[in-house]
Amino acid sequence: MKVIILGIDGYIGFPLALRLMDNGIDVYGADNFYTRKRVKEVKSKSAIRINSMDERINKLNNKIKFFKGDVSNPKFVYDLIKDIKPDAIVHLAEQRSAPYSMISLKTANETLEKNIKSTMNIIYAVKDLKKDIHIVKLGSMGEYGTPNIDIPEGSFNVNYNNRSDNLIFPRMGQSWYHLSKVFDTYNLILANKIWNLNVSDVMQGVVYGSRTEEINKYSLPTRFDIDEVYGTVLNRFIAESVMDDPLTVYGEGNQKRTFLSLEDSIYCLNLILNNPPDHEYKVYNQFDEYYSLNYLASKVKEYADEIFNKNVKIDHLKDPRIESENHYYNPINENLKKIGYKRQRSLDDEIPLMLNDLNNNKKRLLSLRNAIKPKTLWK
Ligand SMILES: NC(=O)c1ccc[n+]([C@@H]2O[C@H](COP(=O)([O-])OP(=O)(O)OC[C@H]3O[C@@H](n4cnc5c(N)ncnc54)[C@H](O)[C@@H]3O)[C@@H](O)[C@H]2O)c1
């Protein structure tokens, strides 16, 4: 099998490339180093030192073929797909920070334009060049928002005025970033409807962790962002505990979100690649569990106190986001289980590993301290 990973230099893209390569798949990847550049602009960097793409490829004896380019450029995407004619494309190459999308009109437009264009470039190139390519597109569980009813996988049955239909479940994303993913979803649904493209649309929860089997095997770490713009919540709590700073819970901390480990994310994407849809548009709610922010903070405190003999404090900051701090939350994740998903790594497996990895990078981490406190406000 030939697979192109768009966004191969990223947190998920690089460990996915290692896994696929080890599974005997021909791996091709593209990236324009957008995340490295944007993280630098907010005066941060990966808290764990990562190699350049050249160093990564050299260490892997050139087994992965890399192409530098911008996925929002239609010609780049068309030529790449035309030359490689892959069986599948995993599309990770989007602006992926909700806070970044909320900084200004410029960053909102950049997020919407780049993300929507990049998915459209893939749709059109696949339609024109090889319609049976399996498009695996990374969306977000945040597309759904936090409705006061259960969240199904993609669509649900509606009865209204004595008539019924199966309709796409309402998407109520709470940032321009999430709304860019909602547009991608609608565009992929239409592409499937008119051209029968094979689409797996992955509504992914928040990913945490610093390791996978292959990161260990090749000693090639993946990026680990902890700043207020690019860092995700659990990774940020880990960093704060290692720096002896209070954990910064936004608002009351009763906000619930879905989560999965990096190892589980890679495992799920592998399962999805091995189960291509038959000219269908298929949705996967890709997560392991859902937790409140307060629960995550208490877990990090428990392990940091025990491992490093600390007494970690937990602070509640005024929530910089506009979101419900107390809400119902019950998302369903059946489709991955149907193709064989079982949890690989739990929160309790990963938190001690992350604490150790960041503790080994403590000096680097301390130089990023100013980048953590939230400055990006939704209002
Ligand atoms: N990490 C999470 O918790 C999480 C959760 C839900 C969804 N996702 C989605 O998964 C995907 C991957 O996330 P990640 O955490 O690995 O992010 P990341 O930023 O680490 O990786 C994305 C990669 O894509 C590249 N990229 C971005 N725009 C590009 C463009 N126009 N052309 C070429 N390359 C481009 C970046 O340089 C980066 O290497 C994203 O689409 C993100 O929205 C991530």
Side-chain angles (χ1 to χ4, degrees):
M1 179 154 57
K2 279 198 261 183
V3 176
I4 301 180
I5 301 175
L6 302 171
I8 195 169
D9 188 49
Y11 176 53
I12 296 168
F14 186 60
L16 176 66
L18 295 178
R19 171 73 44 92
L20 298 185
M21 182 192 81
D22 265 17
N23 286 351
I25 289 170
D26 294 337
V27 180
Y28 301 81
D31 209 294
N32 64 352
F33 307 121
Y34 178 90
T35 299
R36 289 190 192 233
K37 189 166 156 240
R38 287 282 178 267
V39 173
K40 210 170 177 181
E41 280 169 12
V42 296
K43 301 194 172 36
S44 190
K45 58 187 172 191
S46 168
I48 296 174
R49 191 194 166 275
I50 51 171
N51 301 83
S52 68
M53 188 45 86
D54 283 348
E55 287 166 348
R56 286 172 161 177
I57 304 270
N58 279 341
K59 207 164 171 187
L60 299 170
N61 298 324
N62 295 310
K63 275 202 194 150
I64 291 173
K65 304 278 171 289
F66 177 69
F67 301 82
K68 183 166 186 264
D70 186 342
V71 177
S72 67
N73 171 352
K75 186 169 177 342
F76 174 70
V77 174
Y78 186 90
D79 289 348
L80 189 71
I81 297 176
K82 187 167 171 232
D83 288 349
I84 297 166
K85 299 218 168 42
D87 300 291
I89 297 171
V90 184
H91 176 30
L92 307 150
E94 294 201 339
Q95 191 301 96
R96 58 97 174 141
S97 157
Y100 181 79
S101 75
M102 302 307 285
I103 294 174
S104 64
L105 174 62
K106 183 172 167 285
T107 64
N109 277 340
E110 179 186 327
T111 304
L112 287 161
E113 280 174 17
K114 276 203 166 273
N115 290 2
I116 296 169
K117 268 189 188 169
S118 67
T119 297
M120 288 300 284
N121 291 342
I122 296 163
I123 288 173
Y124 265 79
V126 168
K127 184 266 283 184
D128 288 341
L129 294 165
K130 190 174 176 235
K131 273 202 188 124
D132 62 349
I133 292 174
H134 179 193
I135 302 172
V136 181
K137 161 71 189 20
L138 265 290
S140 164
M141 281 300 291
E143 289 186 33
Y144 298 117
T146 54
N148 201 28
I149 54 174
D150 295 353
I151 299 174
E153 293 200 88
S155 61
F156 70 148
N157 292 323
V158 184
N159 290 304
Y160 180 65
N161 282 351
N162 299 322
R163 298 188 64 81
S164 60
D165 204 346
N166 188 269
L167 298 176
I168 178 167
F169 189 75
R171 302 312 207 246
M172 295 186 291
Q174 299 177 37
S175 72
W176 304 122
Y177 156 74
H178 289 109
L179 290 189
S180 75
K181 299 277 187 191
V182 173
F183 274 102
D184 288 342
T185 285
Y186 277 100
N187 291 339
L188 290 163
I189 291 172
L190 185 63
N192 165 264
K193 199 168 187 170
I194 52 185
W195 298 311
N196 289 324
L197 301 194
N198 293 314
V199 180
S200 296
D201 200 0
V202 182
M203 304 295 125
Q204 184 169 243
V206 182
V207 182
Y208 60 86
S210 50
R211 292 191 171 255
T212 60
E213 215 179 298
E214 295 79 13
I215 288 176
N216 296 342
K217 176 174 164 189
Y218 294 103
S219 296
L220 281 171
T222 193
R223 59 177 313 109
F224 192 97
D225 294 301
I226 46 97
D227 61 88
E228 58 114 13
V229 180
Y230 293 93
T232 49
V233 57
L234 182 58
N235 293 0
R236 194 182 73 237
F237 287 166
I238 299 280
E240 289 170 329
S241 73
V242 169
M243 290 188 292
D244 298 311
D245 285 343
L247 311 189
T248 49
V249 175
Y250 294 172
E252 290 185 44
N254 295 319
Q255 302 93 311
K256 294 193 190 81
R257 296 290 183 269
T258 50
F259 291 84
L260 75 167
S261 71
L262 183 60
E263 176 64 47
D264 282 53
S265 171
I266 303 306
Y267 181 76
C268 289
L269 292 174
N270 209 37
L271 277 177
I272 293 169
L273 282 168
N274 288 330
N275 289 276
D278 185 11
H279 303 288
E280 263 177 282
Y281 166 84
K282 179 118 200 189
V283 174
Y284 292 96
N285 287 354
Q286 180 164 299
F287 65 91
D288 165 28
E289 254 310 339
Y290 52 92
Y291 305 107
S292 73
L293 306 189
N294 285 333
Y295 179 79
L296 292 177
S298 70
K299 273 283 174 191
V300 172
K301 175 179 167 50
E302 180 190 318
Y303 280 104
D305 287 358
E306 187 188 313
I307 297 171
F308 302 121
N309 199 19
K310 292 180 188 254
N311 182 14
V312 170
K313 301 263 174 310
I314 299 177
D315 266 4
H316 287 262
L317 306 185
K318 187 174 178 331
D319 195 342
R321 304 177 174 210
I322 303 298
E323 60 187 0
S324 304
E325 292 175 26
N326 294 288
H327 59 89
Y328 178 79
Y329 200 54
N330 189 28
I332 311 300
N333 59 344
E334 289 302 323
N335 287 344
L336 272 161
K337 290 176 191 161
K338 283 183 196 152
I339 58 169
Y341 172 61
K342 286 192 185 67
R343 170 190 292 160
Q344 301 296 297
R345 307 278 304 169
S346 70
L347 210 53
D348 293 287
D349 295 327
E350 293 300 296
I351 290 177
L353 292 178
M354 287 192 275
L355 285 169
N356 275 317
D357 277 341
L358 287 211
N359 199 45
N360 292 336
N361 285 275
K362 192 162 174 180
K363 203 165 151 217
R364 185 179 175 94
L365 194 57
L366 287 169
S367 74
L368 307 176
R369 193 178 233 154
N370 291 338
I372 293 186
K373 204 161 172 263
K375 297 174 210 65
T376 308
L377 309 178
W378 260 228
K379 256 192 186 160

